[in-house]
Amino acid sequence: MPRAAAPSLVALLVFALAPPCAEAQAGMRVTEVESVRVDGAIRDWRGAHFATVGRGPDASMRFALGHDDEGLYVAAQVWDERIVRTPRPGAREDAVIVTLAFPRGRRLRAFDVYLFAGVSGRSAASAGIAPAGRSRVRPLSSARVVEGPLTRRGRGYTLEAFVPFSALPGSSRWDRGRGSIRLRDVDAEAHPEVENEPALVEVDPRHLDRLVPLMPTGGAGGALTAFLNERGLGAARPRHDLRGDVAGDDRPERVFVVDRYVVVTGPGYRDGGGYGYQRLAVDDAQDVRDAELHDLTGDGNEELVLVLRQRNDQGERDLWQVMSLAGDSPRPIFGIEIRKATRQGSVEARIRIVRGRGRRPPQIEIRAHRARGLDRESYRESPASDVEPILLPWGPVRSRRYRWGGRGFERTGERRNPRYRPPEEPSRGEARASRPAEPSEPEAPSEGELLAEFRRRSGIRRGTRPRFRLRANLAGGRGPERVHVYGRRLVVVGEGIQGGRSFLSYEVPADGDEDLLDVSAADVTGDGRAELLFRVRQRFDDVQREVLLVHRITPNGFPRLLQVEVARRRDGHRVVNQVVTRGGRLVIRPGRARGWGEDDWPFTQDPNDSVEPLLLPWRDRPVRYRLRGGRLVR
């Protein structure tokens, strides 16, 4: 049973909703609390924000909801000029009805929880439950409902209720559910008909997806809310809400795909201190086509598998991407093209995960599938350089497999395409007349040709000058690579990028081109090759901060090693750290402050922020970062 709670906890219960209009409802946030006193007197709720359903002195109410580990709580003030109640209440009586729809497989299972206020001298308050839209209500004896008088002018009642999760079918996944709340007003006992029924959103059992998402605050829901509010995405709702052990402590984490971000949180993630996130390389939230969790490395921790749709002026592609969720933030570790499309048609491949034998990790298998409107003669796309290229139905390889090898995914085998026909070669006489000898392989394109091809694919006009240029040995080869940055789009060419035959491209996660402040290269890990360093500006209302991002080039991608705040500004005040990258190391010093000091620093550290905190001159010492476990750590 619920236990008594201090009023300060009760006052935290907030059901944060927009005005009572179905189109305005982004979701139903239900605040996490330890316990609530259910006694019919809601004066303890005076500090809470109540939402309103209905208007006027008849058939309207204000309400708030909350939750703890045991169940759900409801508080309501109901205005009703006439209360219709019988000793055995049913569907055709006055009631507060909470509709809940919880996941059951790929569908939703919905039911109505009826909360009946008692009538003095005639009946006690009670609860009932019925399948959504059905009229046969059965008693819900494990629930506790208490009513009291209105404390404001008018006729009606107050109501408080507690419904244990054990009484709600499918409640183990309640935080992924949807819901609504409505007030049923019946006009007469002799001929009970529903006179009015104001609702948060209309309840149609045939269209449960029209109910609004439940938004628990506190725990994982609170971390997600903090992330969304930080980025001005408070109305965004997760397209995917996954659970799995990604931190390796046997406790499941929550993985949200919301807008263009992946957000990870949970009691075992980052020691329960907040969330990690990664911005996805897509233009719109709708371009995230699918998301699942699979253990692809065989270490017992699950990785996130995404299908992303990416576009440029030449067409679009679907990318099957694997993201590691270990560490402080998600990061891509593997990718394969599974669809490419142009105005002329499309080509597709199929992918499946093959279970590994014994303790070996599973294999990823890609198979050439089909083409529509394209063939070998009309298909003009070059093979991908940033991820594994798509297998073509007319190409030499029919299928290919990959397995985790400890540092990355490695090719483990392939099958040739029996339908493959190599290009026809000229006869011996023609070959002798046309050229003296056949080269062993095609001549590699020049760096200028690769850059031109990148600009063509990215829709960058000819003659456009890059914002940043630099040369550095990024891949560990004999010579340096060249880096050009157009807007926020980076391209790397050189011998270390597939033997100089292709390029690597990456979009820096900045809100606008002008927010990418600087790009440089330096060896900060001591391995003899340079990493790329980006300074990115982020804006939060009147506050600006600069974040240093450190990336390295690997055969399988462009992993991020570190993201740390190095400057903050507001109204002419500022703190700017000093970044030192010499001798194969990265050291950040507190630097100087202007306008702020220890006594008037207006900010507190956000434990939910996945960016390393700013160093403060009056408190912190220099920090040296070392490479450990594929990340730069203090």
Side-chain angles (χ1 to χ4, degrees), residues 18-31:
C21 168
E23 290 76 17
Q25 304 307 324
M28 299 167 62
R29 291 200 296 265
V30 189
T31 300

Side-chain angles (χ1 to χ4, degrees), residues 448-516:
E449 291 172 334
L450 290 172
L451 290 171
E453 176 64 13
F454 162 77
R455 290 193 297 267
R456 184 188 68 80
R457 292 192 191 184
S458 303
I460 299 173
R461 293 182 178 179
R462 186 177 181 180
T464 301
R465 293 187 176 182
R467 296 182 60 216
F468 302 98
R469 295 184 185 181
L470 54 100
R471 295 175 66 91
N473 190 335
L474 301 169
R478 290 178 297 177
E481 281 72 45
R482 291 174 59 190
V483 180
H484 287 193
V485 181
Y486 298 87
R488 288 167 288 166
R489 195 75 178 177
L490 170 142
V491 59
V492 185
V493 296
E495 185 180 349
I497 310 300
Q498 294 194 9
R501 296 182 176 278
S502 190
F503 58 82
L504 182 148
S505 63
Y506 175 74
E507 183 174 348
V508 181
D511 291 334
D513 294 351
E514 70 282 359
D515 294 319
L516 177 57

Side-chain angles (χ1 to χ4, degrees), residues 6 15 38-39 53 187 212 239 293 341 344 353-354 400 443 445 451 478 516 562:
F15 200 136
V38 180
D39 58 7
V53 167
D187 56 357
V212 295
R239 290 177 55 82
L293 291 176
Q344 289 73 36
I353 298 172
V354 182
R400 181 176 288 147
E443 183 179 353
L451 290 171
R478 290 178 297 177
L516 177 57
L562 176 69

Side-chain angles (χ1 to χ4, degrees), residues 82-154:
R82 177 181 173 83
I83 301 176
V84 175
R85 177 70 70 253
T86 64
R88 300 182 63 183
R92 294 192 175 185
E93 300 187 30
D94 290 346
V96 174
I97 306 174
V98 182
T99 299
L100 300 170
F102 297 158
R104 186 179 184 182
R106 293 184 175 271
R107 298 184 179 182
L108 294 171
R109 179 183 181 185
F111 49 89
D112 294 328
V113 176
Y114 287 75
L115 304 177
F116 301 105
V119 177
S120 179
R122 297 177 57 186
S123 62
S126 62
I129 190 169
R134 302 288 181 87
S135 59
R136 187 174 181 178
V137 181
R138 60 180 178 85
L140 197 59
S141 57
S142 58
R144 184 182 179 188
V145 187
V146 179
E147 89 286 341
L150 277 176
T151 58
R152 299 184 180 185
R153 292 183 179 181

Side-chain angles (χ1 to χ4, degrees), residues 26-27 29 215 224-225 227-237:
R29 291 200 296 265
M215 297 170 55
L224 177 63
T225 300
F227 169 81
L228 295 175
N229 290 338
E230 180 181 324
R231 274 152 187 78
L233 301 171
R237 299 274 48 82

Side-chain angles (χ1 to χ4, degrees), residues 245-246 248 294-303 324 326 359 361-362 404:
D245 183 9
V246 306
H294 295 280
D295 179 8
L296 297 176
T297 59
D299 61 355
N301 299 339
E302 293 184 291
E303 284 74 44
S324 170
R359 296 184 178 181
W404 179 255

Side-chain angles (χ1 to χ4, degrees), residues 214-328:
L214 298 178
M215 297 170 55
T217 61
L224 177 63
T225 300
F227 169 81
L228 295 175
N229 290 338
E230 180 181 324
R231 274 152 187 78
L233 301 171
R237 299 274 48 82
R239 290 177 55 82
H240 299 276
D241 181 356
L242 309 173
R243 291 191 180 207
D245 183 9
V246 306
D249 63 348
D250 296 327
R251 291 180 292 179
E253 280 73 44
R254 295 280 293 279
V255 181
F256 301 100
V257 180
V258 55
D259 195 74
R260 293 174 292 170
Y261 294 90
V262 172
V263 183
V264 186
T265 185
Y269 188 77
R270 300 182 69 192
D271 297 324
Y275 58 81
Y277 73 93
Q278 174 69 270
R279 181 174 175 176
L280 300 173
V282 293
D283 296 328
D284 189 84
Q286 303 295 326
D287 293 330
V288 181
R289 314 296 291 181
D290 195 15
E292 296 179 344
L293 291 176
H294 295 280
D295 179 8
L296 297 176
T297 59
D299 61 355
N301 299 339
E302 293 184 291
E303 284 74 44
L304 177 63
V305 177
L306 298 164
V307 177
L308 307 177
R309 180 155 295 178
Q310 301 174 330
R311 299 178 175 86
N312 61 22
D313 291 346
Q314 282 68 50
E316 63 185 26
R317 73 174 180 179
D318 286 359
L319 176 65
W320 194 88
Q321 185 178 74
V322 181
M323 298 194 77
S324 170
L325 304 178
D328 291 337

